[in-house]
Structures are given as C-alpha cells and as structure tokens.
Amino acid sequence: MRKMLAAVSRVLGVAQKPASRVLVASRNFANDATFEIKKCDLHRLEEGPPVTTVLTREDGLKYYRMMQTVRRMELKADQLYKQKIIRGFCHLCDGQLLLPLTQEACCVGLEAGINPTDHLITAYRAHGFTFTRGLSVREILTELTGRRGGCAKGKGGSMHMYAKNFYGGNGIVGAQVPLGAGIALACKYNGKDEVCLTLYGDGAANQGQIFEAYNMAALWKLPCVFICENNRYGMGTSVERAAASTDYYKRGDFIPGLRVDGMDILCVREATRFAAAYCRSGKGPILMELQTYRYHGHSMSDPGVSYRTREEIQEVRSKSDPIMLLKDRMVNSNLASVEELKEIDVEVRKEIEDAAQFATADPEPPLEELGYHIYSSDPPFEVRGANQWIKFKSVS
C-alpha cells in the first residue's frame, strides 16, 4: 500500500514529506515562553540582569541547533585527533569521545547577547566561539586537519582561528586580555557603539597582565567586558588550590562584576546583554564570571580523572548539562517537540560528517606558501627559512 501511494505521488508530482515533519508542521506550538533564571551574584552593582526572561520558539530552535553543532563538532575533532588526522595541540570544549561538553552555553549565550558588529577575543579553547562568530564547521575542521580549505588556510590549527570581529584563538595563557582591552580602546577611539568581550579562564586569572588590563580599562572607561570562564580546574589544579580568592567576579576590585550560571544559556544571554548595555552607556568595563565545567581533561593529553573523581563528573553531567536544560524547557513549554529536536540532531550529525569528510580529503597547503600572509597588503618579499640559504616568498 505504501509503495502504491508513493507511485501515485510521483505520477501526480506530489512531493512527499517525512511523517515526522508532517506531524511537526501540524502541531500548534507556542510562540514564546517565560522562564525564571538564577539570580546573579553582584559586586559594586545595585541591580543586575533580570531573573525572568522570554524565549521565543525561533530563538530556542536556533540556540539548540548551535549548541548541538558545537558539541558534535568537538566530538568529531576528538575522534579525528585519536585517529591522528588532527595533530599537535588540540584543546576541546569536549575531550572524551562519549562525554558531551558543558561549555556550549557560554559561547552560544554570549553571542546571543551581543551584536555581530561587537568584538570577541579568547584563549586557545576557541572552536565553539569560532563557529558562533560565523565560520562554518567545514572551515573549522579543515583548519584542524591543516588543509588549504581551513579558515587560516591550514596554518593556524586549533589555537589560531579568526573570523570577522573575532581575534582568536590565542596560544599564550592570558595574553589575549590586554589585546581585548586594546580592541575596546579602538572601539572608543573610533566613536563606535561597540564592545569587546575579552575571555580568559580561571587558570589565567592570577596573572599580572590581567590586572594591568583591568587598571587601564577602568582609567580610560573602555567598553570591555572581561569574562572569566571558571570551569573549576586550571589544567589539573582546582581553583581552591590555585587562588586565595575564588570570587573571580570581584577580582576587578574597582570594576563592577557579576557571577553567572554558565550552564544555563538564558542566564548567560541575559547577563551578557546587561554587561554590554553597561559598557555602551559609557560607564567603563565590567567583569563577568561564568561558572561552568568541563567533563574532559585540559587538553587531549590529559585524561581528566587523576585530579577529580568520575562521580563528580557524572553528577554535573546528570544535573547541569546545558543542552538538556534547554531541551527540557522547550519541550515542557510546548516550544518544540522531542521529535522535532531529534530531527535537528540528525541534520547536525550529517553536517558534521560531511564537513569531516571534506576536512580529511582537502589537500594540504604547498610548502612554497609557508611564508604567505605575513602582512595583509604588502608587496611580495623574501622570508628567510631555517637557515640563510632557504628562502620563501611572502605574498599578502
């Protein structure tokens, strides 16, 4: 009977739709829903972000797709690294192949709280931000495999990816923070109504250059949102063993701060909107601490279970997974159905697989291009190689 109906449909030119899509299309979903979110802890602020927020169905589906894409992309990078297709350093938002990452709510929530014209700079755990700032999965995975189609033409790798208004991906711990203050200075100098999100981890939070950047930003009232992603461990050292004060949102002293539930995308979005509005008003910098977690080790060489228990990881995973939190909210509020979200999962997996196939088949950049793109708009010149007899041509 099913074959007969299919044949009739082909004869009549009627396009067939999967049964699940028909069910989704025929169901009446709510356009939006209001949710309570966790109150932020405040420092030198009389009021903070709202404790309720509205999520539209359109935004919810977009956030869900983006978060799943980041997760699946990192899982695929994990797999390619273990197959030795990705080489060198590789710091994932995820690390164990079957364990989902927990920091998707940070990168997707931050992007949801700013404008495309705003700026963002981060450390070396940057793949998710590279995606949310506008690059495709294909460009990111192809960069990880060191191929010509990568976003840095195969020369940057995991720690050095860039996009419009996204400045990396920086390999030196904490070094991006003064750069972020400089980007904010450029925004103010040029009279643009833009802000710079400057991210660093709890492991970098004790560095002197960060406090120097705080001081300059406060003196000059720069539109800089300093953001500490506190995932509780700097490499293999817990924050309690590394910092005399773990209230990172108070570290700016004279700079206002707020501590945010970094596992809840809606909390992150509202806090980012609040912080960006504060900076745009001309009041100067503000500091955000995103309380998050990583299920995996610091990098691919770290198993991540020698300095904490598997039970600790499992507890966070079962209670605070950011994708599950968003999924439950949407389904329970009739913003989406389980079937619809499963369809998105299937589509995301296919996108990742297609990108991975391209990333492994694309050719590597030729050796003669090793000196290319040192400068953006200079005439060609020669670059010395490993010794004075080896020369490479540099083309912008």
Side-chain angles (χ1 to χ4, degrees):
M1 183 67 180
R2 186 177 297 173
K3 291 181 179 179
M4 185 182 298
L5 288 173
V8 172
S9 297
R10 285 195 297 270
V11 171
L12 296 178
V14 179
Q16 286 185 293
K17 296 182 179 179
S20 58
R21 289 189 180 275
V22 174
L23 289 173
V24 168
S26 63
R27 181 167 169 177
N28 292 322
F29 292 107
N31 291 323
D32 56 57
T34 301
F35 299 101
E36 292 184 358
I37 54 177
K38 185 178 179 181
K39 184 178 180 180
C40 296
D41 297 321
L42 305 179
H43 171 65
R44 288 184 178 267
L45 290 167
E46 293 184 0
E47 60 179 355
V51 293
T52 61
T53 187
V54 175
L55 176 66
T56 65
R57 169 174 155 79
E58 180 182 3
D59 282 346
L61 292 174
K62 180 175 71 173
Y63 300 159
Y64 183 84
R65 181 181 291 273
M66 291 179 73
M67 291 169 74
Q68 278 288 22
T69 301
V70 172
R71 174 169 294 184
R72 291 292 163 185
M73 178 178 68
E74 295 289 65
L75 290 171
K76 179 55 68 173
D78 177 294
Q79 184 181 24
L80 294 173
Y81 191 93
K82 289 171 179 173
Q83 293 171 350
K84 298 186 178 181
I85 296 171
I86 295 174
R87 308 304 293 262
F89 291 103
C90 191
H91 298 84
L92 304 179
C93 299
D94 150 85
Q96 306 296 335
L97 182 58
L98 298 178
L99 298 184
L101 83 136
T102 58
Q103 295 183 219
E104 305 103 336
C106 296
C107 58
V108 178
L110 289 170
E111 187 64 35
I114 59 174
N115 302 323
T117 52
D118 289 323
H119 309 266
L120 192 148
I121 187 168
T122 188
Y124 40 74
R125 206 177 302 280
H127 307 161
F129 292 105
T130 308
F131 173 72
T132 58
R133 285 268 82 185
L135 290 187
S136 67
V137 175
R138 173 183 285 196
E139 291 173 295
I140 295 168
L141 288 181
T142 308
E143 185 59 38
L144 286 172
T145 58
R147 309 305 172 97
R148 297 182 70 175
C151 56
K153 301 189 184 300
K155 299 175 185 177
S158 175
M159 297 191 288
H160 304 288
M161 299 183 181
Y162 309 93
K164 185 174 177 60
N165 298 327
F166 175 62
Y167 306 85
N170 291 267
I172 305 301
V173 176
Q176 73 278 6
V177 178
L179 300 181
I183 296 167
L185 173 60
C187 294
K188 183 171 183 177
Y189 184 84
N190 292 321
K192 295 182 177 180
D193 187 28
E194 298 169 356
V195 302
C196 181
L197 305 189
T198 302
L199 290 102
Y200 56 96
D202 53 275
N206 299 318
Q207 291 206 353
Q209 60 184 330
I210 291 179
F211 293 90
E212 293 177 57
Y214 286 167
N215 186 58
M216 295 175 73
L219 279 173
W220 297 340
K221 294 190 180 300
L222 302 182
C224 187
V225 184
F226 294 104
I227 302 172
C228 177
E229 285 187 287
N230 177 10
N231 61 24
R232 294 169 47 180
Y233 295 93
M235 298 188 73
T237 306
S238 68
V239 293
E240 291 80 12
R241 293 179 58 215
S245 170
T246 57
D247 290 333
Y248 294 102
Y249 71 109
K250 296 181 180 179
R251 288 287 192 91
D253 188 15
F254 39 80
I255 297 176
L258 57 157
R259 182 159 56 192
V260 184
D261 181 359
M263 307 294 271
D264 183 347
I265 185 173
L266 299 184
C267 281
V268 176
R269 183 188 71 176
E270 294 307 313
T272 306
R273 286 175 175 173
F274 174 87
Y278 180 94
C279 289
R280 292 188 215 279
S281 69
K283 296 177 182 177
I286 192 170
L287 203 159
M288 285 172 57
E289 175 189 345
L290 301 181
Q291 291 189 311
T292 182
Y293 196 76
R294 55 172 167 84
Y295 298 153
H296 62 93
H298 170 76
S299 67
M300 290 297 295
S301 60
D302 172 17
V305 291
S306 59
Y307 47 86
R308 57 184 179 174
T309 64
R310 295 183 184 275
E311 289 74 22
E312 175 187 308
I313 300 170
Q314 184 59 36
E315 182 180 6
V316 176
R317 185 182 176 191
S318 62
K319 294 180 179 179
S320 303
D321 183 77
I323 292 182
M324 289 305 300
L325 288 174
L326 178 62
K327 180 179 180 179
D328 290 344
R329 276 175 169 160
M330 294 183 68
V331 172
N332 294 336
S333 301
N334 196 34
L335 292 176
S337 65
V338 173
E339 294 75 19
E340 184 177 19
L341 298 180
K342 283 183 178 178
E343 280 190 20
I344 292 176
D345 295 346
V346 171
E347 292 168 2
V348 167
R349 285 192 182 94
K350 185 179 185 308
E351 179 187 2
I352 302 301
E353 287 301 323
D354 291 346
Q357 287 184 16
F358 179 86
T360 54
D362 198 45
E364 295 181 354
L367 182 61
E368 57 267 22
E369 292 185 8
L370 185 64
Y372 281 23
H373 309 115
I374 294 175
Y375 298 104
S376 63
S377 56
D378 274 27
F381 63 96
E382 282 193 338
V383 179
R384 174 179 161 160
N387 61 56
Q388 60 183 323
W389 298 284
I390 298 176
K391 302 287 185 180
F392 294 101
K393 187 175 183 180
S394 181
V395 178
S396 298

